[in-house]
Amino acid sequence: MSRRHLPSLAGLQCFEAAARHLSFTRAADELSLTQSAVSKQVAQLESILEHPLFRRIRRRLHLTPEGAIYLGEARKILAQVEMSTRYMQSYGGEADVLNVATLPTFGARWLIPRLNGFRFRHPNINLNISNRVEPFDMQQERVEVAFFFGHGAWPKAECIRLLEEEIVPVCSPQALEGMRVEEPLALTRLVLLQSATRPEAWHDWFDAQGQYTEHSYHGPRFDTFYMALRAAQAGCGVALVPRFLAQEEIDEGKLVVPWSFSLKSRDAYYMAYPEHMADLYKVRAFIDWIRERIV
């Protein structure tokens, strides 16, 4: 599409304000423009779109069906421009924002406790931490550091191995009342809580002990280990989770390990950062901080 067929940012702003107020006069007051200037911008936008955006009914302004559809799109564009602008305003300045992505339960249980003190050593680095479960493009999503579980490979990124994991079953002490667990398959008398990110977990755990059950894939499915842990603690069944994520509840007696066999995962937890950002101060400072705290 040629540039002359693209709407201006001013046109989108005028349209959004007029649609929100259903008034060119109020939109003009908000944007510090004249009413005729707002009207002209909207008219140019309608010319580009080849659709009317507003209709006057009994002297009142109403959005047309086309206008209602385009309003949602315009707001997305304006929000993206605002977000990108704020991102660049903070980039490379005295107060840098470091965008960090992490697995939800790993972030809460392993990462967050290791951030204590980071702000005091690096007062000019503001951490922006978000949860990510699905794979994503770090450059496209503007993420400078990502924590993930896998084989240790991320496109165009350096990966640092953090820790391995052992998978164990956990349930509430009350769930085992009056029940004897003398073999792995005894756990099938409880509900097997499933993890959406590890659909083969129960099958692999039983298989590693030479056991098979048709119940390996049956049971409530949870997006995160945290939800599975909470369900197990509430007595909903038995969850199969990395021991280090459940250690707090095990130590407090809120969860127990009903069968001691633990399965060591083939994969591990890693920290990744884009290759071209390796020497960026905020990235290097964070990487060094985490490395110092790998136990």
Side-chain angles (χ1 to χ4, degrees):
M1 179 180 288
S2 65
R3 290 187 178 182
R4 63 191 179 90
H5 290 133
L6 288 175
S8 67
L9 191 59
L12 292 176
Q13 288 176 308
C14 287
F15 166 62
E16 193 280 331
R20 182 160 27 88
H21 294 294
L22 290 178
S23 167
F24 285 170
T25 301
R26 290 183 182 178
D29 290 341
E30 178 183 306
L31 299 172
S32 300
L33 298 172
T34 64
Q35 181 181 354
S36 62
V38 172
S39 179
K40 183 179 179 180
Q41 288 286 350
V42 172
Q44 290 176 345
L45 192 56
E46 290 177 323
S47 176
I48 291 172
L49 297 173
E50 298 181 352
H51 286 286
L53 299 174
F54 294 99
R55 182 173 288 113
R56 286 195 177 275
I57 302 175
R58 298 186 185 90
R59 288 203 238 175
R60 297 188 63 180
L61 202 62
H62 294 267
L63 278 169
T64 63
E66 297 91 338
I69 292 173
Y70 195 64
L71 176 60
E73 299 302 316
R75 283 175 172 165
K76 290 178 187 177
I77 294 168
L78 292 172
Q80 181 62 53
V81 170
E82 180 182 8
M83 185 172 64
S84 298
T85 301
R86 294 190 184 281
Y87 173 79
M88 290 309 300
Q89 286 172 339
S90 68
Y91 186 84
E94 292 185 0
D96 262 348
V97 175
L98 181 69
N99 294 305
V100 179
T102 180
L103 299 167
T105 313
F106 177 86
R109 294 296 174 92
W110 189 91
L111 176 60
I112 298 301
R114 287 165 174 77
L115 298 182
N116 184 25
F118 180 82
R119 177 71 173 177
F120 295 105
R121 183 185 292 186
H122 303 286
N124 293 327
I125 299 177
N126 296 318
L127 299 178
N128 179 33
I129 302 174
S130 61
N131 288 328
R132 300 294 180 94
V133 176
E134 300 295 331
F136 62 94
D137 186 309
M138 293 180 71
Q139 185 170 355
Q140 185 176 350
E141 298 293 325
R142 294 175 182 161
V143 169
E144 284 101 1
V145 179
F147 292 87
F148 71 99
F149 180 80
H151 301 300
W154 194 297
K156 300 179 181 179
E158 295 287 341
C159 298
I160 299 171
R161 189 183 183 94
L162 299 175
L163 72 157
E164 299 176 343
E165 68 171 16
E166 290 186 348
I167 302 293
V168 295
V170 293
C171 63
S172 69
Q174 294 75 23
L176 294 179
E177 289 181 358
M179 177 179 172
R180 297 180 63 183
V181 180
E182 298 179 336
E183 61 169 343
L185 291 176
L187 296 186
T188 60
R189 299 205 297 271
L190 300 174
V191 176
L192 301 185
L193 305 176
Q194 307 289 330
S195 172
T197 58
R198 310 280 184 91
E200 301 290 331
W202 279 111
H203 171 80
D204 292 345
W205 186 79
F206 282 118
D207 185 64
Q209 301 170 80
Q211 304 289 325
Y212 168 81
T213 172
E214 60 184 9
H215 299 290
S216 291
Y217 303 99
H218 299 165
R221 193 169 302 276
F222 300 93
D223 277 345
T224 67
F225 281 128
Y226 177 76
M227 288 194 289
L229 285 168
R230 291 293 295 157
Q233 190 175 332
C236 298
V238 55
L240 199 57
V241 299
R243 179 186 285 274
F244 78 96
L245 295 180
Q247 197 61 54
E248 181 179 325
E249 285 84 357
I250 293 173
D251 292 342
E252 294 174 353
K254 296 177 181 178
L255 290 173
V256 295
V257 179
W259 185 256
S260 62
F261 178 79
S262 61
L263 178 62
K264 185 175 181 179
S265 297
R266 300 185 187 92
D267 296 334
Y269 290 89
Y270 291 85
M271 175 172 56
Y273 57 93
E275 295 170 344
H276 68 279
M277 290 187 174
D279 296 324
L280 201 62
Y281 166 72
K282 62 180 180 180
V283 173
R284 179 50 54 192
F286 186 80
I287 296 299
D288 291 344
W289 177 273
I290 296 299
R291 269 182 153 162
E292 292 170 9
R293 285 152 183 80
I294 299 176
V295 177

